[in-house]
Structure formats: C-alpha cells, structure tokens
Amino acid sequence: VLYQTVLALACVLFLGSKANRTLEFAAESADFDRIMATVEPAQRALAINADSGSPASGVPNQYDHHALWYQAEHRGFVDFNFAWYPPQ
C-alpha cells in the first residue's frame, strides 16, 4: 500500500507540474492569441522573433515557428518556413 501511495503521489505531482506549465504558457502567449483574433485572413505576414525562448515551457526555441499558426488558421502566408522543402 505504501508503494502504491508513493507512486500515485508521484504521478499527481508530475501531472500537476505539467498542467502548471501549460497554464503558464497560455498566459505567456495570450497576447499572440489576441492578435490572431484581429488579423485579416489571407494576407502576408513577417515573423521576427527577438527572443524565441519560453520561460514558461522551458523550451529554448518555443516561438521559432509560432507565427505559422496564422498561416494554418487564417490561410495567410508567413515568411520562409521549412514547409517549403518536400518531405524527405
């Protein structure tokens, strides 16, 4: 019973930390979501990342391709991306 309790507690703590990071990232990227709600569809856009790291998610290049959501959701065109290359 002790091992099961420790294992269950470890799982809860692990999932809790992941949920916390997800909520922090959502708060961190909320400005981008507001911008995406106001842009016109089917336009050209330029993505300039001064700092592509994300302290909330802990990923050093989290925002490298974040602007491509405009291309995916609003049928726009964002500057050069790796989708230019055919699949390997």
Side-chain angles (χ1 to χ4, degrees), residues 58-87:
V59 178
N61 57 353
Q62 177 73 44
Y63 294 109
D64 277 351
H65 305 290
H66 205 71
L68 294 178
W69 280 108
Y70 172 70
Q71 187 167 316
E73 293 180 352
H74 294 284
R75 300 178 327 272
F77 180 76
V78 180
D79 60 339
F80 179 77
N81 62 66
F82 294 103
W84 176 265
Y85 296 111

Side-chain angles (χ1 to χ4, degrees), residues 8-72:
L9 183 61
C11 290
V12 166
L13 289 174
F14 177 75
L15 291 175
S17 71
K18 294 299 179 187
N20 187 37
R21 276 193 167 187
T22 301
L23 292 173
E24 288 176 357
F25 180 74
E28 181 181 271
S29 62
D31 291 337
F32 182 78
D33 294 334
R34 282 193 291 271
I35 291 171
M36 284 287 287
T38 61
V39 295
E40 296 179 20
Q43 299 294 314
R44 293 187 67 170
L46 176 64
I48 299 174
N49 295 331
D51 182 16
S52 63
S54 171
S57 68
V59 178
N61 57 353
Q62 177 73 44
Y63 294 109
D64 277 351
H65 305 290
H66 205 71
L68 294 178
W69 280 108
Y70 172 70
Q71 187 167 316

